[in-house]
Amino acid sequence: ENIDVDNIDRDTFDVSALFGAEYFLNRQFSIEGSVGLGFGSVNDNISHNDYTYFGSRTVGISANFYF
């Protein structure tokens, strides 16, 4: 069976949230970490396979300097 990839039809619903914390080492310098979590659902109208997923989206560590 040949599938025309230009006409793939998928319905997707995704909800994500970002959680994190920031710690100030002094008035002008801090470090922070964050993680994004998400939940989604996909309805694939070509293969008729529906699936749900849950997992991390982004993970980050950063250093901030405030003027």
Side-chain angles (χ1 to χ4, degrees):
E1 175 182 348
N2 292 331
I3 296 175
D4 184 6
V5 293
D6 293 330
N7 292 318
I8 292 176
D9 188 15
R10 286 190 177 134
D11 298 324
T12 304
F13 176 77
D14 190 278
V15 177
S16 298
L18 184 67
F19 302 95
E22 182 174 17
Y23 180 76
F24 282 86
L25 299 171
N26 62 36
R27 267 185 46 188
Q28 293 180 302
F29 188 73
S30 70
I31 56 174
E32 69 177 288
S34 62
V35 62
L37 299 175
F39 173 81
S41 176
V42 175
N43 180 4
D44 188 335
N45 297 325
I46 299 271
S47 66
H48 302 290
N49 291 327
D50 300 337
Y51 55 92
T52 303
Y53 53 89
F54 174 78
S56 61
R57 298 289 186 265
T58 59
V59 176
I61 297 174
S62 63
N64 305 306
F65 181 78
Y66 297 95
F67 293 95

